[in-house]
Amino acid sequence: MNPQRRRILIRAATSAAAAALGLPGVRAGTGSERDIDVHIELHAVPDQVAVRPGAKTRVWRYRGRLLRGETNALDASADSFPGPIIRVRRGQRVRIDLINGLPESTIIHWHGLHVPQDMDGHPRHAIAPGARYVYEFTVVNRAGSYWFHPHPHGRTGKQVYAGLVGLFLVSDEEEAALDLPTGPHELALVLQDRNFDNDNQFVYLEADGGGAGTQGHGMMGGGMGSMMARMMGVLGDEVLVNGRPQASLEVDRRAYRLRLLNASNARMYKLAWSDGSPLTVIATDGGLLAAPVQRDYVMLAPAERVDLWVDFGRRQVGTELALRSLAFEGGMDMGGMMGGAAALPDGAPFSVLRLRVRDGAAMGATLPRRLSTLPAPQPRMAVNAARPKVFELTMGMMVWGINGEGFDMLGASPLETVKLGTHEVWEFRNEGQAGMMGMAMPHSMHVHGLQFRVIGRSVSSRFARSHDTVKAGLVDEGWKDTVLVMPGERVRILLGFADYAGLFLYHCHMLEHEDTGMMRNYLVKA
């Protein structure tokens, strides 16, 4: 059977099964246009962009068109890659039409947003080439740096790597009262790593042919190398910031807000300033912290976000400063198998972004001591406070899983079934008990449909030395939707299922791990 016919039959069977279980299939928003504050049309399309000198790079990207709303609701300039940036306010009603102009099925996940199950971008809702999916939801999240990306089963890594990434920035009255840097002094920075061939085209692992110019890696002589890299995660040997290699910016002598997103498929970053000055963190995945925190470095796993406040007003004209990723242990590389001799290993040091202070008058700025009202987490409110649910991150026969189970499009076990309106404690365990040769690799665990609080970490003595190279950069304060679980770690999180009933995902955001099995559903029952 040809691949396209097979995909059509799978989609039809999935839709029929969903209907039988009472789960929604593809459907449009139902509100009147008068009730919509922001209406955007997003086309997922093949394109070509100038990433490096020479030939243009074939990519897949989102092209946006604002149909209703304030002019700043969509930043979709012709050279925005990746992009676009959607800006909304808490409480606004949003409608977004996804039109699939790709040669394969796709769907969008609104990463970090609290939305109903049929608006969340579950793979069961993936649409065929030429089809349209209409999202409609009210923005209930607090101010924060959220994002969106594809989520078709088994193809998320490829489609994100090809360029399908955008930011979804939410503001609210609490944030506005702080008078944080805005406009040209608020910089959204999307971090990715890529491999290029000699013709400037992306190189990705593809067992069934390329897309958007991607090609198969030739690692380790072919098939075994590709299989290993698909299992472990794809690393690139060139780091891009907003789609640009060797990125550099000029900044004014005043305070800036840097919104950083790790949109890499598998790479972690250990971010630090080149002069050794501390980083001032004001927000993470789910928005503002209660108060600024300082770190000598910050770990940023795939899908995590961090907002930094930095005052260049105290620096002299011509000062150059670099944001670097420092060396650490416990990363994804395994003796060079990740990408051959040319790949940049996970945990290797490199420059991320160069900044130069330009001429101009200095403008003083004071960062508020308090940023937000953020109550401390209360694990005792969980219905299972004394017996956390355990989710082992496992691998068997070179296939990823959670508690030994791979992805099931419509399935959720009793362990994965929760009650609407309750809280639970979950524990992710990454101890390599079911791994190949006892090997454990880092995982970036993401839970759809909510924000959670990190309430505890522990690490086995076997991995203590490597953990020491990252632990001071873990920012667990505030609301999170993604958490780094290093080798040997147990991480406990407190989740509240307060918003919507339905079927949602939780998975590793090392995208090749997700695509090859480390993804499961959880079911919220009313």
Side-chain angles (χ1 to χ4, degrees):
M1 184 184 299
N2 76 43
Q4 180 65 17
R5 175 64 176 164
R6 184 168 63 247
R7 285 193 289 268
I8 291 170
L9 290 176
I10 290 171
R11 282 197 300 273
T14 297
S15 297
L21 292 174
L23 301 172
V26 175
R27 65 181 178 87
T30 58
S32 164
E33 184 71 18
R34 292 191 305 273
D35 302 326
I36 302 300
D37 298 299
V38 178
H39 188 181
I40 292 170
E41 200 171 72
L42 283 180
H43 294 256
V45 296
D47 203 352
Q48 297 186 58
V49 297
V51 178
R52 307 159 93 205
K56 288 187 174 183
T57 302
R58 293 187 295 276
V59 300
W60 289 353
R61 66 190 300 186
Y62 295 117
R63 285 202 172 276
R65 187 163 68 101
L66 182 63
L67 303 179
R68 183 183 180 92
E70 300 170 7
T71 56
N72 68 347
L74 181 68
D75 181 356
S77 55
D79 61 349
S80 62
F81 173 78
I85 300 175
I86 297 173
R87 296 179 184 270
V88 300
R89 295 190 304 275
R90 186 177 189 178
Q92 286 188 317
R93 187 72 178 170
V94 175
R95 180 179 292 169
I96 300 173
D97 296 23
L98 168 65
I99 296 94
N100 184 7
L102 305 175
E104 65 184 48
S105 297
T106 194
I107 196 69
I108 288 177
H109 168 52
W110 308 99
H111 188 115
L113 295 188
H114 301 211
V115 294
Q117 61 169 347
D118 50 339
M119 300 291 109
D120 187 54
H122 193 282
R124 71 183 187 273
H125 294 146
I127 57 173
R132 175 187 297 254
Y133 197 102
V134 180
Y135 297 90
E136 188 179 307
F137 54 86
T138 299
V139 179
V140 299
N141 288 66
R142 62 203 296 264
S145 302
Y146 308 97
W147 63 301
F148 57 98
H149 60 80
H151 220 299
H153 178 44
R155 309 294 281 179
T156 298
K158 170 194 170 181
Q159 292 191 8
V160 170
Y161 197 93
L164 291 168
V165 167
L167 285 166
F168 194 98
L169 306 183
V170 178
S171 61
D172 62 16
E173 292 181 358
E174 180 186 51
E175 182 188 70
L178 296 172
D179 196 27
L180 296 172
T182 59
H185 305 112
E186 177 192 58
L187 303 179
L189 304 172
V190 179
L191 311 185
Q192 298 172 303
D193 58 334
R194 295 290 182 268
N195 291 299
F196 292 86
D197 66 15
N198 293 333
D199 195 34
N200 282 351
Q201 305 309 310
F202 291 152
V203 178
Y204 185 70
L205 303 171
E206 282 300 318
D208 57 346
T214 57
Q215 301 178 22
H217 243 301
M219 298 187 307
M220 295 178 60
M224 178 58 72
S226 293
M227 182 170 63
M228 288 297 295
R230 182 178 294 278
M231 179 192 73
M232 296 176 66
V234 173
L235 298 177
D237 55 15
E238 196 158 351
V239 175
L240 310 180
V241 178
N242 294 346
R244 299 290 180 263
Q246 300 177 2
S248 62
L249 293 169
E250 287 196 336
V251 293
D252 296 324
R253 299 181 67 199
R254 57 160 297 156
Y256 277 73
R257 179 181 187 172
L258 309 184
R259 295 181 182 258
L260 292 153
L261 159 66
N262 181 357
S264 302
N265 280 40
R267 181 175 298 280
M268 300 185 295
Y269 297 83
K270 182 179 178 178
L271 299 172
W273 292 121
S274 56
D275 65 354
S277 57
L279 287 78
T280 300
V281 181
I282 62 172
T284 54
D285 299 349
L288 293 169
L289 303 180
V293 300
Q294 289 195 331
R295 296 284 194 274
D296 290 336
Y297 62 88
V298 169
M299 294 300 301
L300 203 63
E304 285 189 307
R305 289 87 70 203
V306 66
D307 288 16
L308 305 178
W309 188 89
V310 54
D311 187 4
F312 295 107
R314 302 177 182 180
R315 297 182 181 272
Q316 298 298 315
V317 174
T319 299
E320 294 188 355
L321 185 67
L323 187 63
R324 294 189 52 79
S325 185
L326 306 181
F328 63 90
E329 297 179 19
M332 301 290 296
D333 187 67
M334 196 177 130
M337 285 195 292
M338 286 298 304
L344 183 67
D346 206 18
F350 54 86
S351 177
V352 175
L353 173 68
R354 297 188 304 277
L355 300 161
R356 184 180 184 276
V357 181
R358 59 188 165 207
D359 195 7
M363 296 182 62
T366 302
L367 178 63
R369 292 184 178 181
R370 302 298 300 176
L371 298 170
S372 178
T373 300
L374 198 65
Q378 300 291 332
R380 289 177 297 176
M381 69 195 311
V383 296
N384 66 330
R387 300 185 65 183
K389 289 184 175 179
V390 174
F391 297 90
E392 294 270 4
L393 310 181
T394 58
M395 184 210 312
M397 299 298 291
M398 299 184 73
V399 175
W400 289 111
I402 298 175
N403 288 335
E405 299 292 332
F407 182 55
D408 179 349
M409 185 69 78
L410 299 175
S413 69
L415 183 74
E416 297 162 327
T417 301
V418 304
K419 187 175 180 180
L420 185 66
T422 65
H423 290 75
E424 291 191 353
V425 176
W426 291 6
E427 181 173 280
F428 293 123
R429 292 185 180 178
N430 185 21
E431 298 173 317
Q433 299 300 319
M436 184 172 59
M437 300 177 292
M439 177 183 67
M441 287 179 279
H443 297 290
S444 185
M445 298 306 296
H446 170 48
V447 183
H448 284 222
L450 50 77
Q451 299 283 325
F452 56 75
R453 305 295 295 272
V454 180
I455 58 173
R457 289 180 183 268
S458 62
V459 63
S460 67
S461 58
R462 173 186 164 203
F463 294 94
R465 190 186 74 173
S466 61
H467 194 266
D468 285 345
T469 69
V470 304
K471 67 180 183 181
L474 299 170
V475 184
D476 288 338
E477 293 86 344
W479 290 102
K480 299 280 291 174
D481 54 56
T482 308
V483 64
L484 175 60
V485 187
M486 289 294 289
E489 267 200 314
R490 297 183 177 187
V491 177
R492 287 191 178 185
I493 62 175
L494 175 65
L495 312 93
F497 309 101
D499 292 324
Y500 304 106
L503 198 68
F504 296 90
L505 296 167
Y506 69 103
H507 60 84
C508 179
H509 222 284
M510 273 77 168
L511 296 180
E512 287 72 37
H513 297 185
E514 167 191 337
D515 281 343
T516 55
M518 191 172 277
M519 178 165 70
R520 294 282 301 170
N521 293 312
Y522 73 95
L523 178 63
V524 183
K525 283 191 170 181

